[in-house]
Amino acid sequence: MEMQKPIPVIQPWTKEFWKATKQGKLLVQHCKDCNANIFFPKKVCPKCWSENLTWIESSGKAVVYTYTAMLDMVEPKFMGDLPYVIAMVDLEEGIRMTTRIVNCNQDDIKIGMNVEVVFEEVSPECSLPVFQPADESLRLASPDQGDDTAVAAEPEKGMSPENYQTILYEIGGICGGECTITLNRPDKYNAINRQMAAELIDAFRRVRNEPSIGVVVLAGAGGKAFCTGGDLEIFPSLAEHQNSLNWLSHEGLDVQRAITSCEKVVICKINGHCLAGGLEIALACDLIYARESAKMGTTEINMGILPGWGGTARLPRSMPIFRAREIIFSGRKDYTAKEMYDMGLLTRVFKDEDFESEFEKVVKNIAAKKPIALRMGKEVMARSADGCDMETALAVERNGIQWLTYSPDIQAVMDQFRASPDKLTQQQKQQNIRSDVKK
Amino acid sequence: MEKQRLAIIGTGEVPTGTYPDRSQWDIIYETCISAVRDAGIDKNDVEAVITVAPQAQPQLTAEISFGKIPEELGLKGCKDSCICNAGGASTSNCLRLAEQLIESGQAKFVLIPHVTVHSTIPLPDLINFFAKAGIDLQWEYPYGTTYNGVIAMMTRRYMHESGTTEEEMASVVVSLRKWATLDPNSIFYGKEVPTIEKVLSSGMVSSPLHKRECNVLADGGAAMVVTSAEIAKQMGCPAAVKLGESTRYFSAFTTTRSTEDVKNGFLQGTNDALNAAGLTKEDIDIWNMYLAYPVGHPMFMETIGLCEPGQAGKMFMEGHTWPGGKLPWATIGDAIGRGHTGSGVSMATYVETARQLMGKADAKQVADVNYIFQNTSGGSGMNFIATVWGRNI
């Protein structure tokens, strides 16, 4: 259930105002003695202390005096609305209201823009007056389309690599056959905020549509860290039970799923600190390479909680369980990459000075394989590792390979084999040699 | 009999920041004992304790309201104790209450403490408090406004009207942080001062306000001992003497506050305080401004005519307000530079004013300081309290 948003705290003398909002009317309090229009409405006229007060109906037309796009650091009950626009608008009746600007793109809002009132229901007793552009061409939906008060600019709308704010998305790079997704908040140790979670989900879904790409490199910008987990800014919002659960089950689970269900081989490049949620993201990848000086660990237990983005599930499945338990229970953040490797985690650790070149070699080699084989390999091994019985695993493997063999890619190779078996055998030998480390 | 002028003769302060082992009462002990010792008096000479109300800490507020400080510190000469709340303007009102007690002969020395420990307040309570403080529950809060949001709207309007650029706005933060890095009691003490680019590269919170243009909540506390200028002179101790004061009330909420009223209040309040002190703005050596967010600083500077309209941003950008500049400005770096301690930044600003005039400001010390202008303000900017301070000559 969505959290209850605050409803206006109504006073006896403002009941009339809120009752009118249910009929789509915006009222302005008016003093019959001194003719003042009054806002906020009062029990007596603040100018002349007259009690001879009435209500006039506003035209609902106003001009934007100032506004702000709320992007972060709001109360948990408003988190779900982010981003939203708060504004002060000057009504034709000469009063200034705080409100929201809705039903338009944030970038179209300007000081001086003409707006008109619409109503957003918040309780059976009252609706909030909010404002949309008077210019219909600036509205996201026409007023008769029902939900005309939708909050401006949903984060997912129009999300693309060009406007990612927290990650970089690059096709090609090391050998042209891979995509690199870089967590790009280096001054925050690449910590994950809601924006980054949304962008990661988008990026891993997007790369699925790149048929020539077989490998995705997931890296951290700046050299200080791969990722240190959830941004501490998120934490105030987690004080609310529902928000906390959503951070785990929406953003958290969706990011993990976006990585594990991405058909590409995801190679994690750990260069610097890799902690808490950062390590859990690494664990969702298919291969993990680390710089020798990288420091790793799960610190959640130091706050009295546990890793919540797959840590308790994947660490014990990735290494001997008695060692996994130590990592989770100790809360240490200073495990070196070498220690982690010795304990059974990680694909490989390279010396700091060799890291970039060795990592490049690995990516180059794997990215040169056929994407279709990498994709099938990822899926077959994932099902096998999930713990099915041996016969099932072997059947999945057998049928997977049989499917690959009859895929158009491989059949094209088979045609060559049929035409000149020796030539193909030679080619295959060369491919095998190229894949070895020692050449 | 001539009116007795108020003099600050002792200060005590702890570093601002998050220190889990330091309780609220640790801070009260440390700051009060330091202030009494700095004043050179005996603890039993303190005849009244008037405490700045801590915000969002109801238990502590209750304890202090009902007289725990004099008992805890063993202030045997104390005749009365109370607490005073006007948000960020509380300290100014504590000083005025003390002034009355001293003027009427009921107390010679008054102790004024403040403590805030944000870090132990349950997070939901803290969020809830700051989302509602100074924000109307009927006409503003249901829309999802926050302090940052309200200030962001003021900032956008100010930039629109004055032509101030976002780089110039960011340079206010740079200037404040240049002072803060020299201040052992700031959370940013010894920290690298961010460049304009770095301020602007921090995440947008509420456009056009970036994260580094917002305040960091922190724990802190300070205390002052005050007496009359006459007694301070007899004691022969360095003192900061209040020479003039003037106040303006605007409105409780930003929706109902006109920028013109605020600017007029800034100008008239400042001039009245200067006139009361028999000074002009050219006599002021330090402008010790407490405005919480960047926007108030250039707005105030140009409103009272310290630069041409629309040129205040440049004053910050060109370094005139930095340490060593011609217009030393907010020498603890305001709340942006100090760390926001609820109602405590106004206290910290008075402590700084006193230390500058006493020659005790160490690395921040401005040379040849004779007169300081200081303001405070409460809530979301409900009022403007202007004061002018000088040395006890």
Side-chain angles (χ1 to χ4, degrees), chain B residues 165-230:
Chain B
T165 65
E166 64 169 6
E167 287 78 13
E168 287 167 347
M169 290 307 302
S171 72
V172 177
V173 176
V174 173
S175 176
L176 297 173
R177 289 283 299 272
K178 283 201 181 266
W179 288 103
T181 195
L182 302 175
D183 178 2
N185 291 322
S186 159
I187 44 168
F188 295 113
Y189 175 53
K191 297 269 171 65
E192 186 186 348
V193 177
T195 58
I196 289 170
E197 293 71 31
K198 198 157 184 185
V199 173
L200 294 178
S201 71
S202 60
M204 194 72 89
V205 174
S206 301
S207 67
L209 213 58
H210 298 80
K211 196 156 287 176
R212 284 197 172 88
E213 293 169 307
C214 300
N215 293 297
V216 180
L217 292 182
D219 306 343
M224 298 187 282
V225 170
V226 296
T227 185
S228 71
E230 194 62 31

Side-chain angles (χ1 to χ4, degrees), chain B residues 26 81 110 121 253 292 308 355:
Chain B
D26 274 331
S81 169
V110 179
I121 301 172
F253 306 105
E308 293 297 314
R355 288 181 173 172

Side-chain angles (χ1 to χ4, degrees), chain A residues 57-79:
Chain A
E57 187 174 347
S58 164
S59 68
K61 294 187 185 340
V63 171
V64 174
Y65 174 75
T66 185
Y67 68 96
T68 178
M70 304 293 290
L71 302 170
D72 202 355
M73 296 168 80
V74 301
E75 270 200 282
K77 49 190 86 153
F78 291 108
M79 286 279 185

Side-chain angles (χ1 to χ4, degrees), chain A residues 149-221:
Chain A
T149 58
V151 172
E154 295 292 323
E156 293 80 11
K157 271 180 198 161
M159 188 179 273
S160 73
E162 293 74 42
N163 59 25
Y164 286 157
Q165 294 168 30
T166 63
I167 65 172
L168 302 173
Y169 179 92
E170 186 191 10
I171 299 286
I174 295 175
C175 67
E178 86 287 355
C179 166
T180 303
I181 296 174
T182 307
L183 311 179
N184 190 29
R185 299 181 76 214
D187 58 331
K188 294 285 179 191
Y189 293 84
N190 300 319
I192 307 161
N193 57 12
R194 289 179 202 280
Q195 182 72 20
M196 184 185 278
E199 289 177 4
L200 280 173
I201 293 163
D202 186 78
F204 275 100
R205 285 179 184 159
R206 186 174 299 275
V207 76
R208 298 170 82 170
N209 298 323
E210 297 284 348
S212 63
I213 297 288
V215 166
V216 176
V217 172
L218 182 60

Side-chain angles (χ1 to χ4, degrees), chain A residues 6 8-11 14 17-18 39-41 65-73 75-78 84 86-88 96-100 111 128-129 233 236 239, chain B residues 123-124 127-128 131 136-146 148-149 152-154 156-157 160-161 204-208 211-212 253-259:
Chain A
V9 178
I10 299 173
Q11 296 295 333
T14 61
F17 177 96
W18 294 109
F39 195 77
F40 310 153
Y65 174 75
T66 185
Y67 68 96
T68 178
M70 304 293 290
L71 302 170
D72 202 355
M73 296 168 80
E75 270 200 282
K77 49 190 86 153
F78 291 108
Y84 57 91
I86 303 270
M88 287 189 204
R96 179 170 297 159
M97 293 182 73
T98 285
T99 185
R100 280 198 194 187
I111 287 176
L128 278 185
E233 293 161 12
Chain B
L123 213 47
I127 293 168
N128 200 259
D136 189 82
L137 295 183
Q138 187 169 199
W139 307 107
E140 296 176 328
Y141 182 57
Y143 291 100
T145 51
T146 63
N148 290 333
M153 286 195 280
M154 282 172 58
R156 186 183 301 279
R157 186 70 200 183
H160 174 78
E161 288 178 0
M204 194 72 89
V205 174
S206 301
S207 67
K211 196 156 287 176
R212 284 197 172 88
F253 306 105
T254 52
T255 308
T256 49
R257 189 175 311 144
S258 115
T259 310

Side-chain angles (χ1 to χ4, degrees), chain B residues 354-368:
Chain B
R355 288 181 173 172
Q356 286 282 357
L357 288 165
M358 293 170 171
K360 295 178 179 178
D362 299 325
K364 294 183 270 86
Q365 184 68 51
V366 174
D368 306 322

